[in-house]
C-alpha cells in the first residue's frame, strides 16, 4: 500500500462488524486507512480518543477494544480515531512513503497525510468536544506519564487523572494534542512499552474514568499531586553519523543502559556514550524556538559524550530506527505549578 489510498480519512457512525476482534496488525482487513468512528453515548458532549497514530504503538487500540466490548451503550458520545493501520500491519511507526502521523497537525505541509489532518480538524472544529486523548507508547524505559500543551486547570486535571507525572511542551508543534488543545482540554498519554500489559489496564481505567466524567473540578490541581516538567530541548543524532549500541564501529556508540536515564535528574558529567570523531559536540539539540543549544547541554572529552549541565531526559531509546525517525531524547526541567495559564 502506498500513496494517498492508505492516508485518506474514512468517517463511520458505527463499528464495522468484527472490528473489535482484530489486533492492530489486522485492522487493515476492515479499514482502508485512518478512520474516525462516531459512537453515541448517554452524555452527548463527545470525548475524542486517537489510537495508532504510530503503527507500532498498540496499547491504545488494545484498551479501546476492551472498553467498547464492555459498554453496549457508552456513558458519553465517543469519537474514535484509528490512525495508521497500514503501518500497524507491519508493526512500524510509519511506512517509508508516509509522513509521521503525529507530526502533521500544524495545518501546513503537502501530501495525503496533511490533507487528512486538515479534513479531520475542520470536522472536529464544528463539534463541542468535551476533551481529547491521544494514546501512545514509547520504546525506552519510561514511567507512564501525560503530556499537555496548555497549563490551564482543566488540562492539568485531565493529565493527573492518568499520572502525577506531567510534561508540558510546545515542540514538536505538529502533534495532534497541540492542535486539539485549541478546541478543548487535550492530553497525550505515554503508556510505556506496547508489550506491557499494565499499560493496557491503566488506559482502560483512565478511559472509563474520562467517559464518566461529568465536569472538570473547579479547584486548582494541588502542588503535592503533580510532578510537572517542561521540555526544553529535543536531541537528535546528525543524519551523516552512524549509531550503535555497545558497538565501537559506530560513529556514536550509546551505552546499552542509557534508556534507564529517563526521568532521572542527571548530574553534570553523566556519560551518554562514545564518539569516534573530534569536534565540540556529537549531538544536535534544539530548544523550543529552534535554536541550536547542544553546547549548553553536551561536551566531548576524551572521545566520550558528557552532559555539561544538569538534565532530565525522557524517551531515550535503544531502538536505532526510532532514533532516526524521531529523536534520541527530550531534555526537561522541573516547572513550578502555575496559579493560572
Amino acid at each position: 500500500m502506498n500513496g494517498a489510498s492508505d492516508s485518506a480519512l474514512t468517517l463511520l457512525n458505527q463499528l464495522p462488524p468484527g472490528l473489535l476482534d482484530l489486533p492492530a496488525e489486522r485492522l487493515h482487513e476492515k479499514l482502508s486507512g485512518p478512520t474516525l468512528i462516531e459512537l453515541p453515548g448517554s452524555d452527548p458532549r463527545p470525548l475524542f480518543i486517537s489510537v495508532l497514530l504510530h503503527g507500532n504503538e498498540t496499547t491504545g487500540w488494545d484498551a479501546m477494544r476492551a472498553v467498547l466490548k464492555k459498554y453496549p451503550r457508552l456513558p458519553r458520545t465517543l469519537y474514535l480515531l484509528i490512525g495508521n493501520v497500514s503501518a500497524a500491519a507491519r508493526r512500524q511507526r510509519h511506512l517509508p512513503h508516509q509522513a509521521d502521523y503525529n507530526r502533521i497537525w500544524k495545518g501546513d505541509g503537502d501530501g495525503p497525510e496533511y490533507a487528512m489532518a486538515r479534513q479531520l480538524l475542520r470536522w472536529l472544529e464544528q463539534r463541542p468536544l468535551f476533551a481529547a486523548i491521544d494514546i501512545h507508547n514509547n520504546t525506552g524505559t519510561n514511567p507512564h506519564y501525560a503530556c499537555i500543551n496548555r497549563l490551564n486547570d482543566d488540562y492539568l486535571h485531565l493529565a493527573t487523572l492518568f499520572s502525577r507525572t506531567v510534561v508540558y511542551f510546545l515542540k514538536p508543534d505538529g502533534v495532534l494534542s497541540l492542535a486539539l488543545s485549541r478546541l478543548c482540554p487535550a492530553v497525550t498519554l505515554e503508556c510505556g512499552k506496547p508489550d506491557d500489559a499494565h499499560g493496557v489496564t491503566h488506559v482502560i481505567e483512565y478511559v472509563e474514568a474520562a467517559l464518566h466524567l461529568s465536569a472538570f473540578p473547579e479547584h486548582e490541581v494541588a502542588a503535592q499531586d503533580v510532578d510537572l516538567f517542561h521540555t526544553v530541548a529535543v536531541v537528535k543524532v546528525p543524519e551523516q553519523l552512524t549509531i550503535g549500541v555497545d558497538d565501537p564501529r559506530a560513529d556514536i556508540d550509546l551505552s546499552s543502559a542509557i534508556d534507564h536515564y529517563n526521568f532521572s535528574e542527571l548530574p553534570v558529567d553523566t556519560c551518554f556514550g562514545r564518539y569516534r570523531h573530534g569536534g565540540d559536540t556529537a549531538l544536535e539539540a534544539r530548544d523550543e524556538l529552534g535554536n541550536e543549544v547542544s553546547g549548553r547541554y553536551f561536551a566531548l572529552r576524551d572521545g566520550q559524550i558528557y552532559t555539561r549541565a544538569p538534565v532530565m531526559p525522557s524517551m531515550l531509546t535503544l531502538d536505532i530506527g526510532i532514533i532516526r525517525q524521531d529523536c534520541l531524547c527530550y531534555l526537561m526541567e522541573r516547572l513550578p505549578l502555575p496559579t493560572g495559564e
Side-chain angles (χ1 to χ4, degrees), residues 157-175:
H157 281 297
L158 186 64
T160 55
L161 188 64
F162 182 70
S163 172
R164 65 172 293 116
T165 303
V166 179
V167 176
Y168 167 70
F169 75 91
L170 296 176
K171 292 287 185 176
D173 57 5
V175 301

Side-chain angles (χ1 to χ4, degrees), residues 78-150:
L78 175 68
Y79 299 156
L80 176 63
L81 174 65
I82 303 173
N84 197 338
V85 296
S86 54
R90 304 182 189 182
R91 302 286 287 194
Q92 295 182 23
R93 181 182 175 95
H94 63 82
L95 300 182
H97 68 274
Q98 296 175 324
D100 186 320
Y101 269 45
N102 204 28
R103 300 294 185 271
I104 57 176
W105 304 93
K106 190 178 177 180
D108 56 0
D110 297 321
E113 296 84 16
Y114 293 92
M116 179 272 294
R118 287 190 289 269
Q119 179 187 354
L120 177 59
L121 289 176
R122 286 194 299 268
W123 191 90
L124 292 174
E125 286 168 358
Q126 306 303 313
R127 272 76 186 174
L129 295 179
F130 175 73
I133 303 165
D134 184 25
I135 305 173
H136 286 266
N137 294 108
N138 39 69
T139 54
T141 301
N142 290 276
H144 291 185
Y145 63 99
C147 301
I148 55 175
N149 312 111
R150 297 183 68 175

Side-chain angles (χ1 to χ4, degrees), residues 179-324:
L180 293 180
S181 69
R182 303 182 183 101
L183 305 178
C184 65
V187 66
T188 300
L189 306 185
E190 293 290 348
C191 309
K193 297 180 180 181
D195 57 356
D196 181 6
H198 172 59
V200 177
T201 302
H202 193 181
V203 172
I204 291 171
E205 294 171 349
Y206 178 81
V207 168
E208 290 196 32
L211 285 169
H212 286 93
L213 192 63
S214 59
F216 291 103
E218 295 183 2
H219 60 81
E220 296 179 351
V221 173
Q224 66 267 22
D225 293 336
V226 59
D227 293 316
L228 183 62
F229 302 95
H230 177 210
T231 298
V232 294
V234 57
V235 181
K236 297 190 176 186
V237 176
E239 292 183 2
Q240 69 271 20
L241 299 180
T242 59
I243 316 167
V245 177
D246 289 340
D247 180 3
R249 299 168 299 174
D251 295 326
I252 293 180
D253 179 21
L254 301 172
S255 164
S256 60
I258 196 172
D259 62 334
H260 292 282
Y261 290 163
N262 286 324
F263 284 86
S264 297
E265 295 180 281
L266 305 179
V268 173
D269 287 337
T270 299
C271 184
F272 266 49
R274 295 190 298 272
Y275 182 50
R276 291 179 55 197
H277 309 292
D280 296 325
T281 182
L283 302 173
E284 294 178 351
R286 294 192 177 276
D287 65 16
E288 288 187 327
L289 299 177
N291 300 314
E292 221 295 322
V293 292
S294 56
R296 182 185 306 170
Y297 297 107
F298 297 103
L300 288 178
R301 189 170 66 251
D302 300 326
Q304 305 281 335
I305 305 170
Y306 292 99
T307 56
R308 176 171 277 174
V311 294
M312 176 180 285
S314 67
M315 290 198 176
L316 276 166
T317 177
L318 302 177
D319 189 318
I320 304 303
I322 297 299
I323 294 173
R324 287 300 190 197

